[in-house]
């Protein structure tokens, strides 16, 4: 009786290799979910922006993320050998990965999608799947099929009051994502190119007629989406500590799910969808079982799509009268 | 009067389907030219060919003594040809003021843009009242006003209007046609007006062309066309 009362007042549970209160456990799961959601968001934005402009699901986008992570690994290896400090390596790795992935995104659009612009919608979709398989195998052959260790580039620092609950790399990932999302939102809202992107997404023909170069806008969309994925690739690789040629597939599918959940084509939708998906997965893993992580993620997707077929923030199709 | 735009023997295709057959016409500086014809006659195709959205298979488009055949749409706009397309094509999720910004997309002169925006709001006070609303929330007539205002933001020398009267109440149509005449008189903008409402179009135009099945079948001054028996029967319902 007495011991039960104590347990209710101050429930201590064992998780991982530590003991803490339920609240601490909840917070740890919450921050883990935020981190996951952040990475999903960085990738999902690329899916949703490309879909918004050319109504194509760019299945090669996950591979862009993977290439970003590999570029980061190579840069980190070289700079590490040259004795650069950790933080400088992180910044340079992200910058080089962004440039590299952006170049890949730009080129993929020119090679695999642009020639098919007038074709039936299935053709570029198949082309995208082909590009995805090609890039996976290209990286596998050029690098290796084994998991490679990725150095921890994010410096360790203490977060007052939350030690052991949230790691410094989680803080950095979430902070970077928030900054990127705010910057992107402002750019789309007020930037000249951002406005041109919205206009092109809403009516491509009219965009041409006011003098917007549609090709430039499409290229810019791929470059921006790929850059965001590269940022995510380097950060998460450093957080998890290993990469291989296949990481883009799973991350890509999850991020795509997040984009659909939020309403594909909608930028705030992708951010929200990613956050919801990340948190759901984290709590499902923590409170139920890690075996059910994907079950919960996709059950949530099904549930939301039943009630809002176009996603949470997607445009619900309206009847034209 | 000197020639501003000339189409010489244009054939335009959609895939393998020919839409324009040997179309030739010209527009002089400062004129209002009307092009009338039924559904599917090729009127919109003619405009899209001028604008560079479609490229003709044969023939040439000459603008200000420069061959612009096959030039990209954004380059054509930068040379001062601007279109108000059929169906208005407002950007539904941009605000009215953003829609106007898009019209001035290629311009860099901030003061000029500001001036033209004020001019557009003067022409259409309702747009100023609703400047923060989304384009998609406007009524048909307001959308048509916005479409014209947006085109004016590019400071065009040649304004192409595709069926500005479509689906609008007669009172609004009258208002819009008055403004078209005003734009032509006040800023000397040359106007190429494509219309199914032949009666109205021929009344404000200087010269007119009649199009049937992708061919120009008749051309004359608007007054003569209005009096022509064939035109009366086919397009004026008299």
């Amino acid at each position: 009786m007495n011991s039960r009362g104590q347990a209710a007042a101050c429930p201590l549970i064992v998780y991982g290799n530590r003991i803490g209160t339920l609240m601490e456990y909840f917070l740890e799961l919450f921050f883990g979910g935020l981190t996951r959601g952040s990475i999903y968001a960085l990738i999902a934005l690329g899916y949703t922006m490309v879909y918004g402009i050319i109504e194509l699901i760019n299945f090669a986008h996950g591979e862009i993320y993977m290439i970003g992570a590999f570029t980061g690994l190579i840069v980190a290896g070289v700079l590490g050998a040259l004795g650069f400090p950790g933080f400088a390596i992180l910044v340079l790795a992200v910058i080089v990965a962004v440039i590299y992935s952006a170049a890949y995104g730009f080129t993929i659009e020119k090679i695999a999608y642009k020639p098919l612009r007038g074709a039936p919608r299935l053709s570029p979709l198949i082309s995208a799947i082909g590009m995805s398989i090609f890039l996976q195998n290209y990286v596998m052959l050029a690098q290796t099929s084994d998991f490679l260790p990725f150095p921890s580039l994010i410096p360790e620092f203490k977060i007052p009051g939350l030690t052991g609950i949230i790691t410094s790399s989680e803080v950095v990932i979430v902070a970077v994502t928030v900054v990127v999302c705010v910057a992107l939102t402002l750019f789309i809202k007020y930037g000249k190119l951002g406005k041109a992107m919205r206009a092109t997404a809403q009516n491509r023909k009219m965009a041409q007629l006011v003098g917007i170069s549609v090709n430039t806008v499409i290229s810019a969309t791929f470059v921006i989406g790929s850059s965001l994925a590269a940022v995510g690739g380097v950060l998460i690789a450093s957080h998890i500590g290993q990469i291989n040629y296949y990481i883009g597939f799973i991350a890509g599918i999850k991020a795509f799910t997040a984009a659909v959940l939020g309403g594909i084509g909608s930028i705030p939708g992708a951010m929200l969808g990613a956050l919801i998906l990340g948190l759901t997965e984290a709590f499902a893993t923590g409170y139920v079982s890690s075996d059910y992580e994907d079950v919960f993620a996709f059950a949530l997707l099904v549930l939301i799509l039943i009630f809002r077929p176009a996603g949470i923030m997607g445009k619900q199709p309206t009847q034209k009268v | 009067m000197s020639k501003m735009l000339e189409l010489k023997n244009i054939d335009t295709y959609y895939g393998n389907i020919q839409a324009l057959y040997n179309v030739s016409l010209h527009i002089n500086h400062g004129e209002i030219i009307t092009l009338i014809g039924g559904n599917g006659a090729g009127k919109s195709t003619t405009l899209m060919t001028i604008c560079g959205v479609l490229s003709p298979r044969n023939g040439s488009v000459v603008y200000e003594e420069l061959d612009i055949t096959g030039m990209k749409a954004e380059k054509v706009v930068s040379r001062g040809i601007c279109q108000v397309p059929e169906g208005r094509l407002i950007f539904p999720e941009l605000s009215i003021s953003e829609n106007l910004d898009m019209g001035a997309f290629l311009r860099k002169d901030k003061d000029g843009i500001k001036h033209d925006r004020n001019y557009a709001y003067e022409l259409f006070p309702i747009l100023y009242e609703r400047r923060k609303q989304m384009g998609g929330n406007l009524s048909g007539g307001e959308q048509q006003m916005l479409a014209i205002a947006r085109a004016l933001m590019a400071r065009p020398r040649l304004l192409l209007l595709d069926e500005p009267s479509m689906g609008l109440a007669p009172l609004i149509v009258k208002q819009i046609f008055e403004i078209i005449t005003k734009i032509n008189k006040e800023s000397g903008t040359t106007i190429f007006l494509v219309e199914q409402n032949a009666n109205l179009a021929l009344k404000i135009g200087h010269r007119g062309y009649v199009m049937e099945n992708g061919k120009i079948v008749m051309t004359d001054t608007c007054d003569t066309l209005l009096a022509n028996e064939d035109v009366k029967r086919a397009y004026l319902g008299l």
Side-chain angles (χ1 to χ4, degrees):
Chain A
M1 190 69 181
N2 192 21
S3 67
R4 260 196 205 173
Q6 255 183 350
C10 183
L12 285 177
I13 54 166
V14 182
Y15 58 94
N17 51 1
R18 22 180 281 121
I19 300 171
T21 64
L22 275 177
M23 191 59 199
E24 282 173 347
Y25 187 52
F26 172 83
L27 282 178
E28 185 168 333
L29 292 178
F30 177 75
F31 287 121
L34 273 189
T35 311
R36 259 171 202 261
S38 299
I39 297 302
Y40 292 158
L42 289 175
I43 309 173
L45 285 167
Y47 278 109
T48 218
M49 286 170 71
V50 166
Y51 187 88
I53 302 250
I54 56 174
E55 301 206 336
L56 165 77
I57 295 156
N58 178 14
F59 278 112
H61 189 58
E63 273 54 60
I64 297 287
Y65 155 88
M66 176 268 291
I67 285 170
F70 266 92
T71 311
L73 178 64
I74 293 164
V75 173
V78 171
L79 295 183
L82 292 175
F84 275 74
F87 188 70
I89 297 179
L90 177 68
V91 172
L92 287 171
V94 167
I95 290 172
V96 177
V98 161
I99 293 170
Y100 234 77
S101 288
Y104 267 94
F106 178 86
T107 315
I108 289 170
E109 192 270 325
K110 291 280 180 243
I111 294 175
Y113 307 144
K114 196 178 169 206
L116 294 170
R117 207 167 288 161
R121 279 179 64 179
L122 217 50
S123 310
L125 202 67
I126 300 298
S127 181
I129 293 172
M131 216 7 125
S132 161
I133 295 171
F134 167 77
L135 287 174
Q136 279 177 22
N137 286 279
Y138 158 68
V139 172
M140 184 182 77
L141 290 173
Q143 302 293 325
T144 167
S145 61
D146 299 330
F147 268 99
L148 294 171
F150 198 101
S152 180
L153 298 177
I154 301 170
E156 292 287 330
F157 52 84
K158 292 252 185 307
I159 301 97
L162 292 171
T163 315
I165 292 172
I166 179 166
T167 65
S168 54
S169 68
E170 286 177 333
V171 173
V172 170
I173 289 174
V174 173
V176 167
T177 306
V178 168
V179 169
V180 165
C181 285
V182 169
L184 182 71
T185 305
L186 292 177
F187 167 74
I188 295 287
K189 181 104 180 72
Y190 299 109
K192 188 163 189 182
L193 185 57
K195 275 188 202 169
M197 285 171 130
R198 280 191 290 154
T200 308
Q202 289 169 31
N203 196 322
R204 196 195 297 183
K205 186 167 155 192
M206 193 59 226
Q208 268 180 299
L209 289 175
V210 296
I212 295 170
S213 164
V214 171
N215 283 336
T216 310
V217 167
I218 293 175
S219 292
T221 309
F222 274 85
V223 164
I224 294 172
S226 304
S227 308
L228 300 183
V231 174
V234 175
L235 291 179
I236 197 73
S238 161
H239 180 58
I240 291 176
Q242 58 176 10
I243 58 171
N244 80 344
Y245 72 97
Y246 204 60
I247 55 168
F249 180 74
I250 303 292
I253 292 284
K254 286 287 177 61
F256 175 58
T257 306
V260 172
L261 196 68
I264 190 132
S266 156
I267 288 176
M271 298 173 188
L272 184 66
L275 187 66
I276 292 175
L277 191 71
L279 288 174
T280 307
E281 281 187 6
F283 287 127
T285 310
Y287 287 126
V288 187
S289 155
S290 58
D291 298 340
Y292 290 98
E293 173 189 313
D294 292 350
V295 175
F296 277 92
F298 289 101
L300 179 75
L301 177 72
V302 170
L303 205 67
I304 286 184
L305 290 189
I306 287 173
F307 293 105
R308 287 189 72 84
I312 301 170
M313 302 190 74
K315 244 182 296 163
Q316 307 300 324
T318 47
Q319 199 89 42
K320 278 215 170 134
V321 287
Chain B
M1 271 198 250
S2 58
K3 269 183 198 173
M4 182 178 218
L5 180 86
E6 187 169 21
L7 269 60
K8 291 181 194 158
N9 311 101
I10 293 282
D11 292 331
T12 301
Y13 288 73
Y14 290 101
N16 287 322
I17 300 159
Q18 188 164 5
L20 296 184
Y21 295 86
N22 200 27
V23 168
S24 296
L25 56 82
H26 73 272
I27 299 167
N28 296 325
H29 284 106
E31 276 185 316
I32 299 183
I33 298 296
T34 62
L35 175 65
I36 60 174
N39 270 334
K43 305 186 299 296
S44 299
T45 308
T46 307
L47 290 191
M48 288 302 172
T49 306
I50 295 173
C51 277
V53 174
L54 297 170
S55 308
R57 198 172 287 183
N58 302 306
S60 58
V61 184
V62 179
Y63 172 70
E64 302 282 23
E65 291 167 7
L66 183 83
D67 190 337
I68 60 165
T69 321
M71 192 182 267
K72 279 187 181 169
E74 66 260 22
K75 294 273 183 283
V76 174
V77 177
S78 72
R79 293 187 176 275
I81 301 182
C82 212
Q83 186 182 168
V84 180
E86 186 180 1
R88 285 100 50 183
L89 306 192
I90 295 302
F91 299 116
E93 285 166 50
L94 295 187
S95 71
I96 289 173
S97 110
E98 284 173 333
N99 264 284
L100 292 180
D101 287 345
M102 293 324 295
F105 183 75
L106 292 175
R107 290 173 61 183
K108 300 216 158 48
D109 53 323
K110 284 213 172 106
D111 295 338
I113 293 173
K114 204 172 168 191
H115 172 269
D116 287 3
R117 185 201 301 273
N118 290 338
Y119 178 65
Y121 284 147
E122 239 169 70
L123 279 178
F124 306 103
I126 186 83
L127 296 183
Y128 180 72
E129 280 169 39
R130 307 209 162 169
R131 63 193 181 280
K132 296 235 164 79
Q133 285 186 26
M134 291 292 138
N137 292 344
L138 296 181
S139 73
E142 289 160 357
Q143 288 195 3
Q144 187 63 59
M145 294 175 191
L146 177 56
I148 294 174
R150 179 180 58 191
L152 291 179
M153 291 299 291
R155 212 175 260 190
R157 283 185 291 153
L158 173 60
L159 182 63
L160 312 175
L161 293 154
D162 197 350
E163 306 243 7
S165 77
M166 193 173 69
L168 301 183
L171 204 64
I172 307 281
V173 173
K174 191 167 163 267
Q175 204 183 336
I176 282 176
F177 273 63
E178 275 165 12
I179 283 178
I180 294 171
T181 320
K182 193 173 167 191
I183 293 165
N184 174 256
K185 283 211 181 100
E186 281 184 1
S187 40
T189 311
T190 310
I191 288 174
F192 187 39
L193 173 64
V194 165
E195 258 300 339
Q196 286 203 46
N197 189 335
N199 188 24
L200 262 177
L202 291 174
K203 274 184 184 146
I204 70 162
H206 302 121
R207 286 186 303 119
Y209 290 87
V210 181
M211 195 167 220
E212 268 171 28
N213 299 322
K215 300 181 185 106
I216 300 281
V217 292
M218 211 186 291
T219 173
D220 215 319
T221 62
C222 284
D223 295 339
T224 321
L225 286 175
L226 267 174
N228 183 294
E229 289 302 320
D230 291 336
V231 173
K232 271 188 187 172
R233 203 177 324 109
Y235 301 106
L236 304 177
L238 298 173

